Amino acid sequence: MKVIKEVKSMQEISDYQRCRGKSIGFVPTMGYLHSGHLSLIERARNENDIVIVSIYVNPTQFLQGEDLEKYPRDFERDYIMCEKSGADYIFYPDDGQMYTRDHHTSVLVSTISDKLEGKYRPGHFIGVATVVLKLFNIAKPHKAYFGQKDAQQVLVIRRMSEDLNTGVDVVVCETIREESGLAMSSRNSYLDSRQKAESAELSDALKEAKNLILSGKARNSREIIEYISRYISTQAPLGSIQYIAVTDNKELDDVTEFTGYSGEILISLAVKFGNTRLIDNILFTKN
Ligand code: AMP
């Protein structure tokens, strides 16, 4: 496995591998890897000749006052995990490589970027879409792998990739969870033991909500949002809810009435435990 720090070298390697007829799978990450990331790398390993993992904490997707400075980093540990999972290259640029001083261009995926996370983190998805397009142009993958854990991110990137004809196949991988049900996240390392125990309740609340919809016991989104709010306030009182949303899985439009609705339903939430902001979701089809 090789570590590549320069944009130009990474592009040359990808060009060379493409010329040799090799397929390239790409996994963009911000590092501090866990089993969720590894599941993406392993899937990429199974489906491609060459696997590139990028590790880059992208400053433009953090808002003022967010955790950019204290975002957890451990490159040596990440290196070992990437090697074990079968990566061929780690692309590990610094800010100077990724953003030259006269950087003027950014990518806005309109409408869907403004909903859910976008309301609480305005501008976040401009940073995400821009850096992912840059990374696509650097790693030149055939397929790129993303986690359903970040459901809105998947929709934004898929739309960006289609609208701008990147030719990259966006592959979505299921959310990997702790045994408790807590969705794995690099930010879980911020939680103390009580917060961690309570945050495991989020996935239970989502599962129960899904059952209420599929069994016909909940008829509209108001009942679901009330149910989840109550569940969290009793089972996870340290949590402070930012939003709970019941939407479709394309435009993120609200799904308000379930009677007669058939199609995908995405229930998403963001809850803060102290200063740590956790997101989770459940996606299912109602026939
Ligand atoms: P991050 O390093 O948090 O930017 O995440 C890099 C990629 O890993 C993104 O596509 C995430 O959606 C994905 N990811 C993060 N956590 C998980 C998880 N628990 N299960 C599956 N994928 C994940």
Side-chain angles (χ1 to χ4, degrees), residues 21 55 81 88 125 148 155 163 165 207 250 259 267 285:
I55 296 180
M81 290 170 90
D88 297 296
F125 286 116
Q148 177 61 26
L155 298 181
D163 287 353
N165 306 98
K207 264 193 274 172
K250 204 160 184 255
T259 321
I267 311 178
T285 304

Side-chain angles (χ1 to χ4, degrees), residues 55-269:
I55 296 180
Y56 179 58
V57 182
N58 172 42
T60 68
Q61 68 191 70
F62 287 78
L63 273 68
Q64 207 78 45
E66 288 189 343
D67 56 343
L68 173 62
E69 268 80 42
K70 71 166 195 171
Y71 195 83
R73 293 163 168 89
D74 187 343
F75 184 72
E76 275 173 34
R77 182 168 156 275
D78 289 347
Y79 180 97
I80 293 165
M81 290 170 90
C82 283
E83 195 164 47
K84 276 198 188 140
S85 314
D88 297 296
Y89 298 97
I90 300 180
F91 178 54
Y92 184 50
D94 61 19
D95 291 340
Q97 279 292 310
M98 290 302 284
Y99 296 102
T100 54
R101 244 177 293 145
D102 60 350
H103 196 271
H104 282 243
T105 311
S106 54
V107 179
L108 167 65
V109 181
S110 64
T111 343
I112 41 176
S113 293
D114 301 330
K115 298 175 178 174
L116 310 183
E117 286 296 286
K119 281 193 194 151
Y120 291 86
R121 306 184 73 191
H124 167 68
F125 286 116
I126 295 178
V128 169
T130 305
V131 81
V132 171
L133 181 60
K134 283 166 70 66
L135 290 168
F136 281 6
N137 288 331
I138 295 166
K140 308 191 185 197
H142 296 87
K143 292 184 175 185
Y145 296 80
F146 295 88
Q148 177 61 26
K149 155 89 180 11
D150 298 284
Q152 187 173 7
Q153 173 169 279
V154 164
L155 298 181
V156 167
I157 287 166
R158 177 168 281 152
R159 188 58 70 87
M160 176 279 287
S161 191
E162 283 173 13
D163 287 353
L164 300 181
N165 306 98
T166 66
V168 178
D169 185 5
V170 172
V171 181
V172 185
C173 305
E174 67 170 299
T175 303
I176 303 298
R177 297 176 181 280
E178 309 267 5
E179 236 171 83
S180 66
L182 174 63
M184 289 195 178
S185 163
S186 307
R187 289 190 169 102
N188 291 352
S189 61
Y190 299 148
L191 299 170
D192 66 28
S193 56
R194 272 181 64 212
Q195 291 170 329
K196 197 157 188 199
E198 287 197 8
S199 57
E201 300 289 342
L202 303 182
S203 61
D204 289 333
L206 289 167
K207 264 193 274 172
E208 293 295 330
K210 169 185 164 182
N211 291 339
L212 288 176
I213 296 175
L214 292 182
S215 64
K217 286 187 188 141
R219 281 159 303 167
N220 56 52
S221 58
R222 191 179 45 78
E223 289 172 7
I224 287 299
I225 292 166
E226 275 174 18
Y227 176 82
I228 297 176
S229 305
R230 235 180 301 121
Y231 195 105
I232 292 173
S233 58
T234 53
Q235 306 298 316
L238 295 174
S240 153
I241 298 168
Q242 283 200 329
Y243 67 82
I244 300 164
V246 184
T247 65
D248 66 28
N249 190 38
K250 204 160 184 255
E251 303 293 338
L252 295 176
D253 286 332
D254 288 334
V255 175
T256 45
E257 296 295 326
F258 305 138
T259 321
Y261 178 88
S262 67
E264 284 191 313
I265 296 180
L266 177 69
I267 311 178
S268 319
L269 50 75

